[in-house]
Amino acid sequence: MKKICLYFEIHQIIHLKRYRFFDIGRDHYYYDDYENERSINDIAERSYVPALQALIQMCKENPEFKVAFSLSGCGLEQLEFHAPQVVDLLQEINATGQVEFLCEPYSHGLASLANEESFAAEVKRMSDTIQEKFGKRPTVFRNSSLIYNDEIGAQVAAMGFKGMITEGAKQILGWKSPHYIYNCASDPRLKLLLRDISLSEDITERFTSNPLMADQWLDWIASTPEGENVINIFGELVTFGIFHPLQGGILEFLKAIPALAKERGIGFALPSELCEENSVGSIEVPYSISWVDEERDTSCWLGNAMQREAFNKLYSIADRVRVSGDRRIQMDWDSLQASNNFRFMTTKPGMQYRGIYDGPYDAFTNYMNILGDFIARVNNLYGGADNEEIDGLITLIKNQGDEIEAKDKEIERLRKKLEKLNPTEVAEKKPAKKTCKKAEPKAEAAPAPEKPAKKACVKKSSAKPAKK
């Protein structure tokens, strides 16, 4: 049976303000509050609210329909502050039981390409946030803009995820089809779900210019070769209302999918459900891929000297930020990591939206001014120590953490070994604890009569001041 795996990204750009060179050291607030509030409310009204309402209706009317979401931590923070109605709708659709929330880096940044420890810390924060907000810890991972390579896959597997979503890029697939479940070449435990580029972009990219009927689109899915049963349709939720106006019928297209799919014997599956199935083999990805531009690589963020300079300078302080424990520094770090900051600097043709910037050089200058002030603030946390001393301290902290973790694992291993070697002794100890607990009430019963005497003493002592 063919199954559609449908997932939508929810992320919000955090707009930086105009920051001059002479602001460095004087102004530590970097954000355009007006634009941030205006943009999130506009997107919520035009896209998120109507799209989520439609998906909730689809879930309630079609018990077999399923959908997944991936939220960035920064995007969720802005929604909670400026558009809480969107979070309420996410809670409502979560209550249907037909939804899965994936994990991604908290900042929607590029830490996976720069610093393993920072990447792992971000992923854990986002996983904890999903657990707290929606009641279930995610088991499938989705990197920012579907960035993936074999090294990232191995690290994600080591974090305990059973699956990861990435792009069905031609340079990694070759003659293979994205309609199968694969596994990471570096760690076979991690299943890979590859996006069907053509079928996804029929909706996300071409719907307005090339209007599409739901029955025609589902006929294309039904006609895929026998055995190719996994159809991964991934996109951004702003597809509905921002990329394509609602007046064009894109929500009607979406709502028609469940019933028409059922007529054709096509079902739906969540990413975690697909990751329980066997893979057909591994996919080797030695170089980073993504879902952006025709190249499907990282050139839109790191393709020119300006972008690489900003990227390297930002992550040169990643370890210092991570161990600093300063909440305000961490919040600014999340915002400065967001991938759109680097994309605004691209010199590739076709880039249309650059926020407040006139061009890539303007974006680079503004970002580097902010970064200069931020780096100074981070270094000031360490009392003016030089780079060598700071790096030595960070290394010491990391080594101590690794030693503690290794000792904890060794203690757990020895405990399990002891239980296997002495099962009788372990079994004898457990009843003894229960017997002690049962005996406690009897031991307390003997001194019970003495309690009134103690209370009488208290009354006498309290009566003395009254006589005076």
Side-chain angles (χ1 to χ4, degrees):
M1 181 182 182
K2 296 187 185 300
K3 298 177 183 178
I4 297 174
C5 180
L6 191 64
Y7 124 83
F8 296 111
E9 167 198 311
I10 298 177
H11 170 63
Q12 180 63 24
I13 291 176
I14 297 179
H15 298 273
L16 303 177
K17 70 179 182 181
R18 281 286 179 187
Y19 194 91
R20 310 296 180 184
F21 175 80
F22 297 104
D23 293 328
I24 298 174
R26 299 168 54 194
D27 182 3
H28 304 317
Y29 192 78
Y30 310 136
Y31 310 107
D32 186 338
D33 290 334
Y34 172 80
E35 182 58 23
N36 284 324
E37 183 176 0
R38 186 208 64 79
S39 61
I40 189 69
N41 282 320
D42 179 59
I43 291 172
E45 181 181 350
R46 292 168 53 198
S47 174
Y48 290 160
V49 169
L52 287 170
Q53 287 174 340
L55 289 167
I56 291 170
Q57 180 184 346
M58 292 163 67
C59 287
K60 291 180 177 179
E61 294 177 356
N62 306 277
E64 70 283 353
F65 177 74
K66 299 175 183 179
V67 63
F69 296 97
S70 179
L71 293 80
S72 70
C74 291
L76 185 57
E77 286 178 3
Q78 289 212 69
L79 288 172
E80 289 179 324
F81 190 74
H82 295 297
Q85 69 273 25
V86 176
V87 181
D88 292 340
L89 289 172
L90 289 170
Q91 296 285 5
E92 185 177 347
I93 196 171
N94 183 49
T96 65
Q98 296 162 238
V99 172
E100 178 175 2
F101 289 92
L102 311 180
C103 187
E104 68 167 73
Y106 195 93
S107 69
H108 196 79
L110 307 175
S112 60
L113 301 174
N115 189 291
E116 288 188 7
E117 289 79 11
S118 292
F119 177 54
E122 279 203 70
V123 173
K124 185 180 185 305
R125 283 175 64 207
M126 195 66 236
S127 180
D128 291 343
T129 300
I130 295 297
Q131 167 75 36
E132 177 187 349
K133 300 294 183 185
F134 303 106
K136 188 175 181 181
R137 190 168 294 278
T139 59
V140 178
F141 184 74
R142 176 256 184 204
N143 204 2
S144 309
S145 300
L146 302 192
I147 294 173
Y148 177 82
N149 61 42
D150 289 335
E151 291 183 5
I152 294 173
Q155 187 177 359
V156 169
M159 294 178 197
F161 291 95
K162 64 182 181 182
M164 185 170 177
I165 286 173
T166 188
E167 182 77 331
K170 294 178 182 178
Q171 62 262 41
I172 65 163
L173 278 174
W175 57 268
K176 297 178 181 178
S177 168
H179 301 153
Y180 293 98
I181 300 169
Y182 297 94
N183 60 261
C184 172
S186 300
D187 193 326
R189 295 176 300 173
L190 185 75
K191 303 292 177 56
L192 297 179
L193 303 179
L194 308 182
R195 183 175 84 130
D196 184 305
I197 297 174
S198 179
L199 289 170
S200 295
E201 293 188 349
D202 283 334
I203 303 172
T204 62
E205 302 288 335
R206 296 183 287 272
F207 188 86
T208 299
S209 60
N210 186 20
L212 186 64
M213 301 300 290
D215 54 356
Q216 180 186 10
W217 185 74
L218 287 163
D219 285 341
W220 292 342
I221 292 177
S223 64
T224 54
E226 185 178 352
E228 297 188 12
N229 294 331
V230 179
I231 315 297
N232 297 312
I233 308 299
F234 308 150
E236 299 177 64
L237 194 61
V238 288
T239 295
F240 307 97
I242 302 298
F243 294 168
H244 304 292
L246 299 183
Q247 300 92 315
I250 193 166
L251 275 187
E252 286 68 27
F253 170 90
L254 182 66
K255 292 177 184 177
I257 289 176
L260 293 175
K262 188 175 182 180
E263 291 177 4
R264 291 160 175 77
I266 300 172
F268 296 87
L270 296 173
S272 60
E273 294 172 341
L274 294 177
C275 290
E276 295 293 343
E277 300 181 11
N278 295 327
S279 70
V280 297
S282 64
I283 289 284
E284 293 186 3
V285 189
Y287 304 105
S288 298
I289 61 171
S290 76
W291 70 355
V292 178
D293 296 342
E294 286 297 321
E295 296 85 354
R296 314 288 173 181
D297 58 13
T298 59
S299 60
C300 68
W301 305 288
L302 303 173
N304 63 47
M306 292 186 298
Q307 292 170 309
R308 292 190 292 273
E309 170 68 17
F311 177 83
N312 292 334
K313 198 170 186 66
L314 175 68
Y315 284 103
S316 69
I317 58 168
D319 293 330
R320 302 179 192 188
V321 172
R322 192 178 63 258
V323 302
S324 70
D326 188 291
R327 185 172 179 272
R328 178 63 186 274
I329 288 290
Q330 182 63 62
M331 290 175 63
D332 291 339
W333 172 251
D334 291 337
S335 303
L336 293 176
Q337 278 194 95
S339 61
N340 60 275
N341 292 312
F342 302 97
R343 196 172 187 191
F344 289 156
M345 304 175 199
T346 185
T347 51
K348 294 175 68 175
M351 181 63 181
Q352 297 178 349
Y353 181 73
R354 296 186 190 271
I356 64 172
Y357 306 119
D358 298 327
Y361 307 102
D362 185 29
F364 173 74
T365 301
N366 200 72
Y367 184 80
M368 293 303 284
N369 286 342
I370 292 174
L371 188 56
D373 182 80
F374 179 72
I375 290 175
R377 288 169 56 207
V378 172
N379 289 337
N380 286 339
L381 293 176
Y382 294 88
D386 59 34
N387 290 339
E388 187 174 346
E389 290 176 324
I390 296 173
D391 293 340
L393 176 63
I394 291 170
T395 301
L396 177 63
I397 293 172
K398 182 180 183 301
N399 291 341
Q400 288 178 340
D402 292 343
E403 288 177 10
I404 292 171
E405 185 179 353
K407 287 178 180 178
D408 288 342
K409 289 181 179 178
E410 180 65 12
I411 291 171
E412 182 64 17
R413 186 187 68 81
L414 292 173
R415 186 188 66 78
K416 291 180 179 179
K417 186 176 181 181
L418 182 63
E419 288 181 356
K420 290 180 180 178
L421 293 175
N422 304 300
T424 307
E425 183 179 347
V426 173
E428 289 174 354
K429 286 181 179 179
K430 290 180 180 177
K433 291 180 181 178
K434 290 180 180 178
T435 305
C436 292
K437 287 182 180 179
K438 289 180 180 178
E440 285 176 3
K442 294 180 181 179
E444 291 176 358
E450 296 179 6
K451 289 182 180 178
K454 288 181 180 179
K455 289 181 180 177
C457 291
V458 174
K459 288 179 180 178
K460 288 180 181 180
S461 59
S462 60
K464 288 179 182 180
K467 291 179 180 180
K468 289 180 181 180

